[in-house]
Amino acid sequence: MSGTVCGPAGQPHAGVQLTTFFGRSHELAGVLERLNGDARMVTLTGSPGIGKTRLAGELLVQMNEHYDAAVFIRLAEIGVQANTADVVQRICNLLIAELRISHHQPDAEPVDVLIDHVRERRVLIVLDNCEPVLDAVAELADRLLTETTTVQVVATSRAYLDIRGEHVVHLAPLSIPAEHADRVAAERCDAVRLLADRAVAAGRPLTEQDDWSAIVDLVRWSAGVPLVLELVAAQLGAGRAPAVVLDRLQGGASLRYGPGARGIPAHHLALDIAITESWDLCSPQQQRVWARLTVFTGGFTLEAAEHVCADDLIERDEILATLDHLVRHSVIEGASSDARYRQHTFLREYGRRRLRAFGELDAIGERHCAWVAGLVREAAVRYFGPEEIRWLDLVNAESRNITAAVAWCAEHDRTERGLAIMVDLFATQAPFFFATEIQACRLVEDLLRAGPTGATEVRVSALAMAGWVWIALGDQERGKIHLDECLRLACEAGTEDAPAVQLVEGTYEALALGQRSGFAKLAAAAAGFRAAGADGLEYMADLFHAITAGVLGPAEEADRMSQRCLAEARRRGSEWALTWAEWTRGLPACSEPVTNNTAPLRRQLALGDLWGPGWWVEKDAWARAEAGDYVGAARRIGGSDSLQARHGVHFNGLAGFKRHRGHAAAAIALVLGPVESTAAYREGSMLDDDQIVALALDDADCPPEPVLTERQWTIARLVARKLKNQQIAATVQFSVRTVENELTAIYDLLNLEGRRELADWYTARSAPTGASTEPATRRRRG
């Protein structure tokens, strides 16, 4: 047997790259490191259109000169073949032709010819789009690896080859901008840069005059998948505005190249074509599970999938194996460290259309809603105890599924069920812990508007819970509206003494109005919750009793309730509840306020509490003023106001809090004077969240914030006034590009994501006296 192996003349056809390479430098370096190490078989895997072929082509460009020969074989055109041996032969013939192997044994098996001629040579073989002929590729690759010593194989495939020695490299999407990011912030992301590049190629460059909110939404919908972005660019090139493309997505069905497009692989001509290829490689059962999984939003666990997807057609014990298949075929992302599976939006919406075609949309939606309702109900009953944080984390992890289930209830005239879910959600206290109370209240309000207005028990409870939360956030007016409606319906239903009603009424009187008459109602609420077995809500009623007594007095009531909360939290082994009980010990009406114990706040931060730190900072400001540290108190007041403004709350305006804030502010102004006190206040208001909390912990002496230049400060002020870049440029007489460059520098300096965060940052730092809002000179601590 004789012949030679020749490197292809010139660059391999796949090495002729016609598009710019974006955002894969880390993955490229990782694959190169593996090939330069001991890996002989690397599979690039990921969802349809993730960029596997493009990365493999770039790899070939960079590695070509290191091999005696390097070839790139596209397998998409072979199509699905029933006979694996025939497909192996066809692939081998393609390789023989591409490698220019000459031989004179027409009866020899092509695989034997191929292996014989590459056995001792350094050859890189790239096999692209392997999933339609996966078994044949796996068989050939296995022989190449076991019967040669230096041949290396790179495969691109949505599915793993599952052969010995395979190194799987899963490609993640490109980085996408944050929600509501502006143009400057968005353009830092690889996905936006790729879209902009492809839009230029399509003859329709993105400009500052474009609707960047629509562009950001399009990129976020794409999940950073290059094929989706390229198809969006093709739509833009056809003359459609970004908002029109976004509005007409049709779940991705509208994303396709126009008629006559050339040089585009057939399976990339339209998004549906690319996804259908994956759909067709699934069995009927796998397809049905894929479709059913689309009711989940924000991911799901194995247990959730089993609960929602299993029925008479699909056994529960078959779900795990089906998920494994979908993971290995890049339809869903495998369970990560949080034990959750996830699915890209465009794959989910494709599956949802299939679910509708199966006629199961309502049935599976109902099952998903029932699963959510059961989960939240169990959490509400069980969270108050040693597993408090686990339950809180679990509820938070399912927050998007909870929102989806509530929306489903609103759409399907199941308002009462949606309200019951929200009442249980509030009972878990997760909205407080994760600072999502405002969103939760708005969900309740949407349901209340959507459903009937009858005086049902769940409607009264929902009004009570929403009113209670709004009052705790400092929105007394909104809380009072819910309270009044709650009382009206409770009177109609004869449930005025229901514990939820007593809770919101007592909280309003004691916390919002500063009246001790609310104590009796809070005590009655606690007793009612205890009788109903709602231990967590009983504790919250007692905690609000302790808080209000701690700011209103008398001392014996403040001491009694604080000790009661401490004892109950310790008895139940509830860590988070204990930190709040400790917080009440430092309130000013207690006979001996504990003001120097920062351990509970440190524990809250370690647990991930996003609600508590603001309350600690406010209380610490009062204590500082009482102790004579007026500069420190002013800084903390400024920090507290800034922290509350950023999180959309205003509890320092509640009656009891307002009184103690007023005393502290008066003492500060008297000792420091208006100039010094305003400067100290402003110093605190210019800190970020972590720096403000550091003040409360006494871990830092007002750490300096990066200082903006006069030009940057002017631009920040104009952004806060909602001026666009062209308007800013005209106002300050700079070029638009200079404004954009300065904005980029500001975002980097302040660690902000876009115009909205910059506007909030600037607004939070505006001096209360109406004086100049430019940063004050740093002053040493008083």
Side-chain angles (χ1 to χ4, degrees):
M1 192 178 296
S2 63
T4 60
V5 178
C6 303
Q11 186 76 288
H13 65 274
V16 180
Q17 303 303 327
L18 302 179
T19 57
T20 311
F21 186 68
F22 279 107
R24 294 292 187 203
S25 56
H26 178 73
E27 291 94 332
L28 180 61
V31 177
L32 291 173
E33 184 178 353
R34 293 186 192 222
L35 292 175
N36 289 325
D38 59 357
R40 295 186 56 215
M41 173 76 233
V42 177
T43 300
L44 306 180
T45 189
S47 62
I50 199 70
K52 303 179 288 293
T53 298
R54 186 65 182 81
L55 179 59
E58 192 70 20
L59 177 71
L60 197 69
V61 170
Q62 299 207 19
M63 293 294 286
N64 190 31
E65 63 184 29
H66 300 289
Y67 292 89
D68 299 327
V71 292
F72 191 110
I73 304 297
R74 301 184 187 277
L75 302 178
E77 288 75 14
I78 292 179
V80 179
Q81 301 287 324
N83 191 313
T84 299
D86 288 346
V87 178
V88 170
Q89 188 176 70
R90 290 189 63 184
I91 296 173
C92 289
N93 283 331
L94 290 172
L95 286 167
I96 289 169
E98 196 71 23
L99 288 166
R100 299 183 180 178
I101 299 173
S102 59
H103 65 94
H104 306 287
Q105 295 188 9
D107 295 333
E109 290 291 332
V111 67
D112 295 328
V113 173
L114 174 65
I115 290 174
D116 184 56
H117 285 79
V118 300
R119 195 183 306 276
E120 303 298 333
R121 295 173 173 85
R122 279 186 55 76
V123 178
L124 175 64
I125 296 174
V126 179
L127 300 174
D128 181 47
N129 200 223
C130 297
E131 56 273 5
V133 289
L134 199 64
D135 289 342
V137 172
E139 182 177 312
L140 175 59
D142 185 59
R143 286 199 62 182
L144 285 168
L145 296 183
T146 56
E147 297 182 33
T148 69
T149 57
T150 54
V151 172
Q152 290 178 295
V153 180
V154 173
T156 75
S157 175
R158 302 178 195 183
Y160 305 171
L161 268 63
D162 284 331
I163 63 173
R164 185 175 54 183
E166 179 183 29
H167 289 241
V168 176
V169 176
H170 186 83
L171 300 191
L174 301 177
S175 60
I176 61 175
E179 191 175 8
H180 307 306
D182 65 6
R183 177 191 175 190
V184 175
E187 286 180 331
R188 300 179 195 172
C189 302
D190 287 326
V192 176
R193 292 174 59 224
L194 185 144
L195 176 63
D197 178 85
R198 303 305 192 258
V200 168
R204 204 292 195 182
L206 303 181
T207 70
E208 185 181 2
Q209 285 70 42
D210 276 315
D211 182 350
W212 276 85
S213 64
I215 291 172
V216 167
D217 288 345
L218 276 170
V219 174
R220 288 179 59 80
W221 186 89
S222 78
V225 173
L227 174 62
V228 183
L229 294 165
E230 291 174 351
L231 290 166
V232 168
Q235 298 291 299
L236 297 174
R240 296 180 178 88
V244 173
V245 178
L246 181 65
D247 186 55
R248 304 294 178 87
L249 277 172
Q250 299 173 18
S254 66
L255 294 181
R256 59 180 61 250
Y257 285 101
R262 299 179 185 276
I264 309 295
H267 61 291
H268 282 178
L269 285 171
L271 184 57
D272 269 12
I273 294 174
I275 303 174
T276 298
E277 187 174 271
S278 290
W279 179 267
D280 290 342
L281 292 172
C282 294
S283 70
Q285 173 177 294
Q286 292 158 353
Q287 291 173 347
R288 194 170 291 271
V289 171
W290 174 352
R292 291 178 176 183
L293 291 172
T294 62
V295 296
F296 292 105
T297 304
F300 55 90
T301 62
L302 170 61
E303 292 76 15
E306 289 174 336
H307 188 102
V308 172
C309 296
D311 61 5
D312 293 340
L313 294 176
I314 301 171
E315 295 291 335
R316 186 183 182 93
D317 58 9
E318 295 175 334
I319 297 296
L320 178 58
T322 305
L323 293 180
D324 287 345
H325 172 89
L326 295 177
V327 168
R328 301 182 81 79
H329 284 73
S330 303
V331 174
I332 61 176
E333 295 181 9
S336 52
S337 58
D338 59 0
R340 298 183 70 76
Y341 296 85
R342 291 174 174 83
Q343 188 172 36
H344 293 318
T345 303
F346 63 93
L347 290 168
R348 179 173 173 267
E349 293 199 15
Y350 178 93
R352 196 163 185 81
R353 281 182 274 144
R354 295 288 189 165
L355 184 64
R356 186 176 289 108
F358 284 141
E360 294 188 339
L361 196 59
D362 286 344
I364 302 302
E366 164 66 31
R367 206 178 297 168
H368 174 262
C369 184
W371 165 74
V372 166
L375 171 75
V376 179
R377 176 92 281 267
E378 185 178 10
V381 171
R382 298 181 57 185
Y383 94 93
F384 188 48
E387 293 189 296
E388 179 183 48
I389 301 304
R390 184 182 76 83
W391 280 107
L392 287 168
D393 285 338
L394 190 154
V395 169
N396 185 60
E398 302 298 352
S399 59
R400 292 180 63 189
N401 279 312
I402 294 169
T403 300
V406 171
W408 186 89
C409 288
E411 292 168 4
H412 291 78
D413 297 324
R414 309 281 208 284
T415 305
E416 295 280 297
R417 189 176 194 180
L419 289 172
I421 291 172
M422 293 308 300
V423 169
D424 283 336
L425 177 64
F426 282 125
T428 69
Q429 312 311 322
F432 282 124
F433 189 89
F434 293 103
T436 57
E437 324 94 313
I438 294 175
Q439 300 94 304
C441 283
R442 287 174 178 163
L443 276 177
V444 169
E445 290 168 349
D446 289 343
L447 284 167
L448 290 170
R449 283 191 293 269
T453 58
T456 64
E457 180 181 351
V458 70
R459 191 176 184 86
V460 169
S461 295
L463 281 163
M465 287 296 180
W468 171 56
V469 173
W470 281 123
I471 293 165
L473 297 180
D475 195 332
Q476 301 177 45
E477 182 179 352
R478 207 161 186 169
K480 183 65 161 57
I481 290 172
H482 290 313
L483 170 60
D484 289 344
E485 179 66 5
C486 173
L487 290 174
R488 184 184 71 80
L489 293 181
C491 287
E492 284 185 23
T495 57
E496 302 97 319
D497 295 334
V501 178
Q502 298 274 28
L503 175 66
V504 63
E505 197 172 8
T507 299
Y508 182 73
E509 288 184 16
L511 193 60
L513 302 182
Q515 297 174 355
R516 293 174 181 170
S517 59
F519 294 170
K521 293 183 174 66
L522 289 169
F529 286 131
R530 181 167 59 255
D535 300 337
L537 284 171
E538 176 194 356
Y539 178 82
M540 290 306 291
D542 280 342
L543 180 65
F544 272 69
H545 191 162
I547 291 171
T548 50
V551 294
L552 299 176
E556 55 269 23
E557 184 75 358
D559 291 345
R560 181 179 72 85
M561 290 309 303
S562 179
Q563 290 301 320
R564 180 188 180 99
C565 289
L566 276 169
E568 184 61 13
R570 286 169 177 159
R571 185 180 75 83
R572 299 299 297 258
S574 297
E575 248 187 308
W576 182 50
L578 184 59
T579 65
W580 277 95
E582 291 281 3
W583 180 80
T584 65
R585 296 176 63 206
L587 291 172
C590 292
S591 58
E592 296 182 10
V594 179
T595 58
N596 58 354
N597 181 15
T598 61
L601 174 56
R602 294 182 191 279
R603 189 61 193 141
Q604 281 186 350
L605 295 170
L607 293 173
D609 181 0
L610 297 178
W611 196 57
W615 296 68
W616 282 88
V617 174
E618 179 69 19
K619 185 195 72 173
D620 191 46
W622 309 340
R624 292 279 171 170
E626 184 70 22
D629 177 10
Y630 300 109
V631 171
R635 286 173 177 162
R636 284 158 178 79
I637 287 176
S640 177
D641 284 348
S642 177
L643 197 62
Q644 290 181 56
R646 281 198 288 277
H647 292 277
V649 300
H650 187 60
F651 54 75
N652 55 16
L654 294 165
F657 285 70
K658 190 174 183 179
R659 180 161 61 89
H660 292 286
R661 162 69 75 89
H663 290 162
I668 292 166
L670 181 65
V671 175
L672 297 183
V675 175
E676 195 80 9
S677 59
T678 298
Y681 173 91
R682 201 179 301 132
E683 282 185 345
S685 72
M686 294 184 64
L687 301 178
D688 62 25
D689 289 12
D690 291 338
Q691 291 171 325
I692 293 168
V693 172
L695 278 182
L697 291 169
D698 211 19
D699 283 349
D701 184 13
C702 201
E705 185 176 33
V707 178
L708 301 185
T709 65
E710 183 178 352
R711 173 191 289 183
Q712 290 171 337
W713 195 261
T714 299
I715 290 172
R717 174 168 52 84
L718 296 175
V719 167
R721 292 181 181 176
K722 299 184 179 180
L723 269 66
K724 294 185 176 181
N725 287 357
Q726 280 189 321
Q727 296 170 306
I728 294 173
T731 301
V732 298
Q733 297 184 338
F734 303 144
S735 69
V736 173
R737 178 52 60 186
T738 298
V739 172
E740 292 175 348
N741 290 339
E742 289 288 12
L743 278 171
T744 299
I746 293 169
Y747 296 148
D748 289 340
L749 192 65
L750 302 180
N751 192 29
L752 301 176
E753 285 295 331
R755 299 179 88 85
R756 178 171 294 188
E757 287 194 11
L758 177 57
D760 291 344
W761 178 91
Y762 181 91
T763 302
R765 285 150 181 78
S766 298
T769 60
S772 169
T773 54
E774 296 201 20
T777 304
R778 298 291 174 214
R779 302 178 186 274
R780 64 183 179 82
R781 185 177 173 209

